Amino acid sequence: MDYSVKLKAGNDFPALTATTLDGSEVKLGEPQGDATWQAVFVYRGKHCPLCTQYLNDLENYKQAFADAGVDILAVSADSKAQLEAHLEKLDISFPIAYGLTEEQMKTLGVYISLPRSEQETDNNFAEPGLFVVNEHGKLHVVDISNNPFVRPELGALTRGLAWIRNPDNHYPIRGTLDY
């Protein structure tokens, strides 16, 4: 059997960068502003209507993430031109980056797919992944899927992160047992 390498909860989040439309390099997992955590949403790209919907839905939860002290960033393997075209269908105000390489996808442990045709996209792309990085640079929450139909429900996710972040709950990183 073949097994892919997956990031382990509790480990340091890898040092990875992508590019925003203004040409700035952004470090994945490094929160911006007043937030001390960051949720990195890996999405399939412009070609995926479910990603478009999910990113637009994510905008509606931006304040709930902020209230929990969690910054959000979306990233894909799209090119700059693909992201620029995708923005015509997006109504978002959170940072979005492009240029995720296949090597970076492997480092993150996301599933990687081949395009079905040139009409879909012209490059291999990542299937959805979510990586929530805490104030210590540790992977606190991870969710990966091999298709666009299975992703965290954003209301449950924001409520869960608020609960985890509440110091009264003393909630540890889960899933750290070695086997």
Side-chain angles (χ1 to χ4, degrees):
M1 277 197 254
D2 288 336
Y3 293 94
S4 58
V5 176
K6 304 294 178 210
L7 293 177
K8 183 179 175 200
N11 282 359
D12 291 334
F13 189 72
L16 300 173
T17 60
T19 307
T20 57
L21 278 179
D22 68 2
S24 301
E25 194 172 84
V26 61
K27 292 181 181 178
L28 278 59
E30 188 172 284
Q32 302 299 306
D34 295 333
T36 54
W37 287 30
Q38 186 179 64
V40 178
F41 290 87
V42 177
Y43 71 98
R44 300 171 85 222
K46 169 190 168 288
H47 68 276
C48 177
L50 295 172
C51 292
T52 301
Q53 183 62 53
Y54 196 79
L55 293 172
N56 284 328
D57 289 346
L58 182 56
E59 177 68 21
N60 297 325
Y61 287 91
K62 182 180 171 185
Q63 188 60 51
F65 280 98
D67 291 346
V70 181
D71 180 40
I72 54 178
L73 170 71
V75 62
S76 76
D78 276 354
S79 67
K80 181 178 183 180
Q82 287 169 317
L83 177 54
E84 287 173 336
H86 196 192
L87 286 176
E88 295 172 12
K89 296 179 180 178
L90 295 174
D91 186 17
I92 61 171
S93 62
F94 55 83
I96 191 165
Y98 67 91
L100 196 63
T101 68
E102 199 162 323
E103 191 60 38
Q104 289 173 316
M105 292 180 227
K106 290 176 182 177
T107 298
L108 289 170
V110 295
Y111 292 97
I112 302 170
S113 290
L114 303 169
R116 294 184 300 170
S117 68
E118 287 185 23
Q119 287 71 38
E120 183 176 48
T121 188
D122 61 356
N123 55 283
N124 294 348
F125 57 90
E127 292 294 342
L130 167 64
F131 304 92
V132 180
V133 183
N134 67 24
E135 72 273 17
H136 305 294
K138 304 284 185 190
L139 186 58
H140 207 99
V141 176
V142 62
D143 183 272
I144 59 171
S145 176
N146 71 322
N147 68 74
F149 306 105
V150 181
R151 302 178 206 224
E153 191 276 314
L154 293 166
L157 176 62
T158 54
R159 288 187 301 274
L161 289 173
W163 197 87
I164 289 171
R165 300 287 326 268
N166 181 334
D168 294 337
N169 294 326
H170 306 287
Y171 197 77
I173 299 172
R174 307 309 301 178
T176 59
L177 182 67
D178 285 326
Y179 54 92

mmCIF file of all heavy atoms in Angstrom, residues 23-60:
data_model
loop_
_atom_site.group_PDB
_atom_site.id
_atom_site.type_symbol
_atom_site.label_atom_id
_atom_site.label_comp_id
_atom_site.label_asym_id
_atom_site.label_seq_id
_atom_site.Cartn_x
_atom_site.Cartn_y
_atom_site.Cartn_z
ATOM 1 N N GLY A 23 1.900 41.134 -5.167
ATOM 2 C CA GLY A 23 3.275 40.673 -5.317
ATOM 3 C C GLY A 23 3.978 40.389 -4.006
ATOM 4 O O GLY A 23 5.132 39.966 -3.998
ATOM 5 N N SER A 24 3.288 40.624 -2.891
ATOM 6 C CA SER A 24 3.889 40.365 -1.583
ATOM 7 C C SER A 24 3.970 38.869 -1.321
ATOM 8 O O SER A 24 3.081 38.109 -1.701
ATOM 9 C CB SER A 24 3.068 41.002 -0.465
ATOM 10 O OG SER A 24 2.971 42.387 -0.635
ATOM 11 N N GLU A 25 5.023 38.489 -0.635
ATOM 12 C CA GLU A 25 5.149 37.107 -0.193
ATOM 13 C C GLU A 25 4.479 36.992 1.169
ATOM 14 O O GLU A 25 4.671 37.837 2.030
ATOM 15 C CB GLU A 25 6.633 36.748 -0.086
ATOM 16 C CG GLU A 25 6.893 35.271 0.046
ATOM 17 C CD GLU A 25 8.374 34.957 -0.036
ATOM 18 O OE1 GLU A 25 9.057 35.056 1.008
ATOM 19 O OE2 GLU A 25 8.847 34.618 -1.134
ATOM 20 N N VAL A 26 3.661 35.967 1.335
ATOM 21 C CA VAL A 26 2.974 35.752 2.603
ATOM 22 C C VAL A 26 3.421 34.406 3.161
ATOM 23 O O VAL A 26 3.562 33.435 2.418
ATOM 24 C CB VAL A 26 1.431 35.828 2.425
ATOM 25 C CG1 VAL A 26 0.913 34.784 1.470
ATOM 26 C CG2 VAL A 26 0.725 35.745 3.753
ATOM 27 N N LYS A 27 3.694 34.393 4.469
ATOM 28 C CA LYS A 27 4.082 33.152 5.139
ATOM 29 C C LYS A 27 2.826 32.449 5.621
ATOM 30 O O LYS A 27 2.056 33.019 6.397
ATOM 31 C CB LYS A 27 5.009 33.440 6.320
ATOM 32 C CG LYS A 27 6.359 33.962 5.905
ATOM 33 C CD LYS A 27 7.241 34.217 7.120
ATOM 34 C CE LYS A 27 8.580 34.771 6.685
ATOM 35 N NZ LYS A 27 9.439 35.067 7.844
ATOM 36 N N LEU A 28 2.623 31.237 5.173
ATOM 37 C CA LEU A 28 1.472 30.457 5.606
ATOM 38 C C LEU A 28 1.628 30.123 7.084
ATOM 39 O O LEU A 28 2.715 29.741 7.529
ATOM 40 C CB LEU A 28 1.359 29.169 4.800
ATOM 41 C CG LEU A 28 0.692 29.258 3.428
ATOM 42 C CD1 LEU A 28 1.399 30.212 2.500
ATOM 43 C CD2 LEU A 28 0.599 27.881 2.798
ATOM 44 N N GLY A 29 0.543 30.289 7.829
ATOM 45 C CA GLY A 29 0.560 29.968 9.250
ATOM 46 C C GLY A 29 1.039 31.085 10.139
ATOM 47 O O GLY A 29 1.117 30.929 11.352
ATOM 48 N N GLU A 30 1.353 32.243 9.572
ATOM 49 C CA GLU A 30 1.808 33.391 10.361
ATOM 50 C C GLU A 30 0.696 34.433 10.404
ATOM 51 O O GLU A 30 0.429 35.105 9.410
ATOM 52 C CB GLU A 30 3.066 34.000 9.737
ATOM 53 C CG GLU A 30 3.709 35.057 10.599
ATOM 54 C CD GLU A 30 5.043 35.495 10.033
ATOM 55 O OE1 GLU A 30 6.014 34.733 10.179
ATOM 56 O OE2 GLU A 30 5.110 36.588 9.442
ATOM 57 N N PRO A 31 0.016 34.558 11.552
ATOM 58 C CA PRO A 31 -1.135 35.460 11.634
ATOM 59 C C PRO A 31 -0.765 36.920 11.422
ATOM 60 O O PRO A 31 0.343 37.345 11.731
ATOM 61 C CB PRO A 31 -1.677 35.228 13.045
ATOM 62 C CG PRO A 31 -0.600 34.557 13.796
ATOM 63 C CD PRO A 31 0.304 33.893 12.811
ATOM 64 N N GLN A 32 -1.730 37.643 10.894
ATOM 65 C CA GLN A 32 -1.569 39.078 10.649
ATOM 66 C C GLN A 32 -2.452 39.857 11.620
ATOM 67 O O GLN A 32 -3.398 39.313 12.186
ATOM 68 C CB GLN A 32 -1.971 39.396 9.206
ATOM 69 C CG GLN A 32 -1.180 38.629 8.159
ATOM 70 C CD GLN A 32 0.300 38.933 8.212
ATOM 71 O OE1 GLN A 32 0.714 40.097 8.156
ATOM 72 N NE2 GLN A 32 1.119 37.897 8.324
ATOM 73 N N GLY A 33 -2.160 41.126 11.782
ATOM 74 C CA GLY A 33 -2.976 41.986 12.632
ATOM 75 C C GLY A 33 -2.901 41.582 14.091
ATOM 76 O O GLY A 33 -1.852 41.192 14.597
ATOM 77 N N ASP A 34 -4.044 41.648 14.770
ATOM 78 C CA ASP A 34 -4.116 41.351 16.202
ATOM 79 C C ASP A 34 -4.275 39.863 16.498
ATOM 80 O O ASP A 34 -4.214 39.457 17.655
ATOM 81 C CB ASP A 34 -5.289 42.100 16.842
ATOM 82 C CG ASP A 34 -5.101 43.613 16.792
ATOM 83 O OD1 ASP A 34 -3.937 44.061 16.756
ATOM 84 O OD2 ASP A 34 -6.111 44.330 16.782
ATOM 85 N N ALA A 35 -4.508 39.064 15.472
ATOM 86 C CA ALA A 35 -4.732 37.628 15.679
ATOM 87 C C ALA A 35 -3.442 36.942 16.124
ATOM 88 O O ALA A 35 -2.343 37.353 15.749
ATOM 89 C CB ALA A 35 -5.251 36.983 14.401
ATOM 90 N N THR A 36 -3.600 35.898 16.916
ATOM 91 C CA THR A 36 -2.434 35.120 17.357
ATOM 92 C C THR A 36 -2.425 33.724 16.739
ATOM 93 O O THR A 36 -1.448 33.000 16.877
ATOM 94 C CB THR A 36 -2.404 35.000 18.893
ATOM 95 O OG1 THR A 36 -3.646 34.466 19.348
ATOM 96 C CG2 THR A 36 -2.152 36.362 19.532
ATOM 97 N N TRP A 37 -3.506 33.344 16.077
ATOM 98 C CA TRP A 37 -3.600 32.078 15.350
ATOM 99 C C TRP A 37 -3.932 32.398 13.895
ATOM 100 O O TRP A 37 -4.427 33.479 13.586
ATOM 101 C CB TRP A 37 -4.714 31.207 15.912
ATOM 102 C CG TRP A 37 -4.449 30.565 17.240
ATOM 103 C CD1 TRP A 37 -3.653 31.043 18.256
ATOM 104 C CD2 TRP A 37 -5.000 29.345 17.713
ATOM 105 N NE1 TRP A 37 -3.697 30.186 19.324
ATOM 106 C CE2 TRP A 37 -4.520 29.128 19.012
ATOM 107 C CE3 TRP A 37 -5.876 28.415 17.175
ATOM 108 C CZ2 TRP A 37 -4.860 28.018 19.773
ATOM 109 C CZ3 TRP A 37 -6.233 27.312 17.930
ATOM 110 C CH2 TRP A 37 -5.718 27.109 19.211
ATOM 111 N N GLN A 38 -3.670 31.410 13.010
ATOM 112 C CA GLN A 38 -4.082 31.571 11.618
ATOM 113 C C GLN A 38 -4.678 30.272 11.095
ATOM 114 O O GLN A 38 -4.129 29.187 11.333
ATOM 115 C CB GLN A 38 -2.933 31.981 10.706
ATOM 116 C CG GLN A 38 -3.421 32.297 9.278
ATOM 117 C CD GLN A 38 -2.326 32.725 8.344
ATOM 118 O OE1 GLN A 38 -1.426 31.950 8.054
ATOM 119 N NE2 GLN A 38 -2.403 33.965 7.872
ATOM 120 N N ALA A 39 -5.778 30.405 10.368
ATOM 121 C CA ALA A 39 -6.392 29.288 9.654
ATOM 122 C C ALA A 39 -6.008 29.429 8.186
ATOM 123 O O ALA A 39 -6.350 30.431 7.549
ATOM 124 C CB ALA A 39 -7.904 29.305 9.820
ATOM 125 N N VAL A 40 -5.288 28.444 7.681
ATOM 126 C CA VAL A 40 -4.871 28.434 6.282
ATOM 127 C C VAL A 40 -5.806 27.494 5.527
ATOM 128 O O VAL A 40 -5.825 26.293 5.791
ATOM 129 C CB VAL A 40 -3.405 27.959 6.135
ATOM 130 C CG1 VAL A 40 -3.007 27.910 4.662
ATOM 131 C CG2 VAL A 40 -2.460 28.854 6.943
ATOM 132 N N PHE A 41 -6.575 28.057 4.620
ATOM 133 C CA PHE A 41 -7.501 27.280 3.802
ATOM 134 C C PHE A 41 -6.860 27.031 2.435
ATOM 135 O O PHE A 41 -6.667 27.967 1.669
ATOM 136 C CB PHE A 41 -8.822 28.032 3.607
ATOM 137 C CG PHE A 41 -9.649 28.127 4.846
ATOM 138 C CD1 PHE A 41 -9.465 29.167 5.749
ATOM 139 C CD2 PHE A 41 -10.624 27.175 5.116
ATOM 140 C CE1 PHE A 41 -10.241 29.255 6.896
ATOM 141 C CE2 PHE A 41 -11.398 27.259 6.260
ATOM 142 C CZ PHE A 41 -11.207 28.298 7.154
ATOM 143 N N VAL A 42 -6.539 25.783 2.162
ATOM 144 C CA VAL A 42 -6.037 25.398 0.842
ATOM 145 C C VAL A 42 -7.255 25.039 0.015
ATOM 146 O O VAL A 42 -8.089 24.228 0.436
ATOM 147 C CB VAL A 42 -5.066 24.204 0.938
ATOM 148 C CG1 VAL A 42 -4.617 23.769 -0.448
ATOM 149 C CG2 VAL A 42 -3.860 24.561 1.815
ATOM 150 N N TYR A 43 -7.378 25.668 -1.149
ATOM 151 C CA TYR A 43 -8.520 25.374 -2.018
ATOM 152 C C TYR A 43 -8.031 24.950 -3.398
ATOM 153 O O TYR A 43 -6.877 25.166 -3.759
ATOM 154 C CB TYR A 43 -9.486 26.558 -2.075
ATOM 155 C CG TYR A 43 -8.979 27.768 -2.834
ATOM 156 C CD1 TYR A 43 -9.360 27.993 -4.159
ATOM 157 C CD2 TYR A 43 -8.112 28.676 -2.240
ATOM 158 C CE1 TYR A 43 -8.903 29.093 -4.856
ATOM 159 C CE2 TYR A 43 -7.663 29.788 -2.924
ATOM 160 C CZ TYR A 43 -8.053 29.986 -4.237
ATOM 161 O OH TYR A 43 -7.589 31.068 -4.922
ATOM 162 N N ARG A 44 -8.908 24.333 -4.157
ATOM 163 C CA ARG A 44 -8.546 23.709 -5.424
ATOM 164 C C ARG A 44 -8.170 24.721 -6.499
ATOM 165 O O ARG A 44 -7.275 24.473 -7.290
ATOM 166 C CB ARG A 44 -9.703 22.845 -5.923
ATOM 167 C CG ARG A 44 -10.053 21.751 -4.942
ATOM 168 C CD ARG A 44 -11.322 21.029 -5.331
ATOM 169 N NE ARG A 44 -10.999 19.979 -6.290
ATOM 170 C CZ ARG A 44 -11.718 19.708 -7.367
ATOM 171 N NH1 ARG A 44 -12.793 20.417 -7.655
ATOM 172 N NH2 ARG A 44 -11.374 18.718 -8.164
ATOM 173 N N GLY A 45 -8.883 25.828 -6.581
ATOM 174 C CA GLY A 45 -8.569 26.847 -7.576
ATOM 175 C C GLY A 45 -9.799 27.396 -8.271
ATOM 176 O O GLY A 45 -10.933 27.003 -7.999
ATOM 177 N N LYS A 46 -9.547 28.286 -9.198
ATOM 178 C CA LYS A 46 -10.583 28.999 -9.940
ATOM 179 C C LYS A 46 -11.559 28.056 -10.619
ATOM 180 O O LYS A 46 -12.743 28.352 -10.736
ATOM 181 C CB LYS A 46 -9.908 29.895 -10.982
ATOM 182 C CG LYS A 46 -10.812 30.503 -12.011
ATOM 183 C CD LYS A 46 -9.987 31.166 -13.106
ATOM 184 C CE LYS A 46 -10.817 31.541 -14.295
ATOM 185 N NZ LYS A 46 -11.242 30.379 -15.086
ATOM 186 N N HIS A 47 -11.069 26.916 -11.060
ATOM 187 C CA HIS A 47 -11.904 25.987 -11.832
ATOM 188 C C HIS A 47 -12.999 25.323 -11.001
ATOM 189 O O HIS A 47 -13.904 24.720 -11.545
ATOM 190 C CB HIS A 47 -11.031 24.905 -12.475
ATOM 191 C CG HIS A 47 -10.408 23.976 -11.485
ATOM 192 N ND1 HIS A 47 -9.233 24.272 -10.822
ATOM 193 C CD2 HIS A 47 -10.809 22.772 -11.025
ATOM 194 C CE1 HIS A 47 -8.924 23.275 -10.015
ATOM 195 N NE2 HIS A 47 -9.872 22.355 -10.104
ATOM 196 N N CYS A 48 -12.940 25.446 -9.686
ATOM 197 C CA CYS A 48 -13.850 24.698 -8.804
ATOM 198 C C CYS A 48 -14.982 25.589 -8.293
ATOM 199 O O CYS A 48 -14.755 26.457 -7.442
ATOM 200 C CB CYS A 48 -13.060 24.125 -7.633
ATOM 201 S SG CYS A 48 -14.082 23.266 -6.431
ATOM 202 N N PRO A 49 -16.213 25.378 -8.765
ATOM 203 C CA PRO A 49 -17.321 26.209 -8.281
ATOM 204 C C PRO A 49 -17.608 26.003 -6.793
ATOM 205 O O PRO A 49 -18.075 26.928 -6.127
ATOM 206 C CB PRO A 49 -18.512 25.766 -9.146
ATOM 207 C CG PRO A 49 -18.125 24.446 -9.718
ATOM 208 C CD PRO A 49 -16.622 24.413 -9.780
ATOM 209 N N LEU A 50 -17.319 24.820 -6.256
ATOM 210 C CA LEU A 50 -17.524 24.599 -4.830
ATOM 211 C C LEU A 50 -16.529 25.410 -4.001
ATOM 212 O O LEU A 50 -16.854 25.877 -2.910
ATOM 213 C CB LEU A 50 -17.427 23.119 -4.492
ATOM 214 C CG LEU A 50 -18.530 22.248 -5.106
ATOM 215 C CD1 LEU A 50 -18.243 20.776 -4.880
ATOM 216 C CD2 LEU A 50 -19.875 22.629 -4.545
ATOM 217 N N CYS A 51 -15.322 25.585 -4.524
ATOM 218 C CA CYS A 51 -14.339 26.434 -3.843
ATOM 219 C C CYS A 51 -14.794 27.887 -3.859
ATOM 220 O O CYS A 51 -14.674 28.595 -2.852
ATOM 221 C CB CYS A 51 -12.968 26.324 -4.519
ATOM 222 S SG CYS A 51 -12.186 24.719 -4.322
ATOM 223 N N THR A 52 -15.309 28.325 -4.986
ATOM 224 C CA THR A 52 -15.809 29.695 -5.091
ATOM 225 C C THR A 52 -16.876 29.932 -4.031
ATOM 226 O O THR A 52 -16.830 30.928 -3.294
ATOM 227 C CB THR A 52 -16.363 29.963 -6.496
ATOM 228 O OG1 THR A 52 -15.316 29.758 -7.452
ATOM 229 C CG2 THR A 52 -16.908 31.372 -6.627
ATOM 230 N N GLN A 53 -17.825 29.010 -3.925
ATOM 231 C CA GLN A 53 -18.892 29.142 -2.938
ATOM 232 C C GLN A 53 -18.332 29.123 -1.511
ATOM 233 O O GLN A 53 -18.737 29.922 -0.662
ATOM 234 C CB GLN A 53 -19.933 28.035 -3.112
ATOM 235 C CG GLN A 53 -21.100 28.157 -2.154
ATOM 236 C CD GLN A 53 -21.887 29.437 -2.357
ATOM 237 O OE1 GLN A 53 -22.308 29.738 -3.472
ATOM 238 N NE2 GLN A 53 -22.087 30.208 -1.298
ATOM 239 N N TYR A 54 -17.391 28.192 -1.239
ATOM 240 C CA TYR A 54 -16.822 28.068 0.106
ATOM 241 C C TYR A 54 -16.076 29.347 0.493
ATOM 242 O O TYR A 54 -16.213 29.836 1.622
ATOM 243 C CB TYR A 54 -15.900 26.848 0.175
ATOM 244 C CG TYR A 54 -15.559 26.406 1.572
ATOM 245 C CD1 TYR A 54 -16.454 25.668 2.335
ATOM 246 C CD2 TYR A 54 -14.319 26.708 2.139
ATOM 247 C CE1 TYR A 54 -16.142 25.239 3.618
ATOM 248 C CE2 TYR A 54 -13.997 26.282 3.420
ATOM 249 C CZ TYR A 54 -14.911 25.550 4.149
ATOM 250 O OH TYR A 54 -14.588 25.139 5.427
ATOM 251 N N LEU A 55 -15.299 29.898 -0.426
ATOM 252 C CA LEU A 55 -14.564 31.129 -0.130
ATOM 253 C C LEU A 55 -15.530 32.288 0.112
ATOM 254 O O LEU A 55 -15.314 33.099 1.025
ATOM 255 C CB LEU A 55 -13.587 31.456 -1.257
ATOM 256 C CG LEU A 55 -12.417 30.487 -1.423
ATOM 257 C CD1 LEU A 55 -11.633 30.815 -2.688
ATOM 258 C CD2 LEU A 55 -11.510 30.491 -0.205
ATOM 259 N N ASN A 56 -16.590 32.376 -0.685
ATOM 260 C CA ASN A 56 -17.589 33.421 -0.454
ATOM 261 C C ASN A 56 -18.304 33.210 0.873
ATOM 262 O O ASN A 56 -18.586 34.178 1.586
ATOM 263 C CB ASN A 56 -18.575 33.484 -1.621
ATOM 264 C CG ASN A 56 -17.977 34.172 -2.838
ATOM 265 O OD1 ASN A 56 -17.147 35.079 -2.716
ATOM 266 N ND2 ASN A 56 -18.386 33.748 -4.018
ATOM 267 N N ASP A 57 -18.576 31.965 1.232
ATOM 268 C CA ASP A 57 -19.173 31.680 2.544
ATOM 269 C C ASP A 57 -18.207 32.038 3.674
ATOM 270 O O ASP A 57 -18.624 32.546 4.716
ATOM 271 C CB ASP A 57 -19.555 30.199 2.654
ATOM 272 C CG ASP A 57 -20.743 29.823 1.791
ATOM 273 O OD1 ASP A 57 -21.456 30.721 1.297
ATOM 274 O OD2 ASP A 57 -20.944 28.602 1.592
ATOM 275 N N LEU A 58 -16.919 31.774 3.465
ATOM 276 C CA LEU A 58 -15.904 32.078 4.466
ATOM 277 C C LEU A 58 -15.907 33.570 4.811
ATOM 278 O O LEU A 58 -15.716 33.942 5.970
ATOM 279 C CB LEU A 58 -14.530 31.630 3.957
ATOM 280 C CG LEU A 58 -13.332 31.814 4.859
ATOM 281 C CD1 LEU A 58 -13.524 31.123 6.202
ATOM 282 C CD2 LEU A 58 -12.074 31.283 4.159
ATOM 283 N N GLU A 59 -16.159 34.404 3.828
ATOM 284 C CA GLU A 59 -16.235 35.848 4.071
ATOM 285 C C GLU A 59 -17.278 36.167 5.146
ATOM 286 O O GLU A 59 -17.070 37.043 5.979
ATOM 287 C CB GLU A 59 -16.567 36.588 2.768
ATOM 288 C CG GLU A 59 -16.737 38.084 2.929
ATOM 289 C CD GLU A 59 -15.468 38.838 3.272
ATOM 290 O OE1 GLU A 59 -14.357 38.324 3.018
ATOM 291 O OE2 GLU A 59 -15.582 39.956 3.813
ATOM 292 N N ASN A 60 -18.384 35.424 5.130
ATOM 293 C CA ASN A 60 -19.458 35.654 6.109
ATOM 294 C C ASN A 60 -19.045 35.271 7.529
ATOM 295 O O ASN A 60 -19.715 35.670 8.483
ATOM 296 C CB ASN A 60 -20.713 34.881 5.709
ATOM 297 C CG ASN A 60 -21.268 35.348 4.389
ATOM 298 O OD1 ASN A 60 -21.202 36.531 4.060
ATOM 299 N ND2 ASN A 60 -21.810 34.429 3.616
#
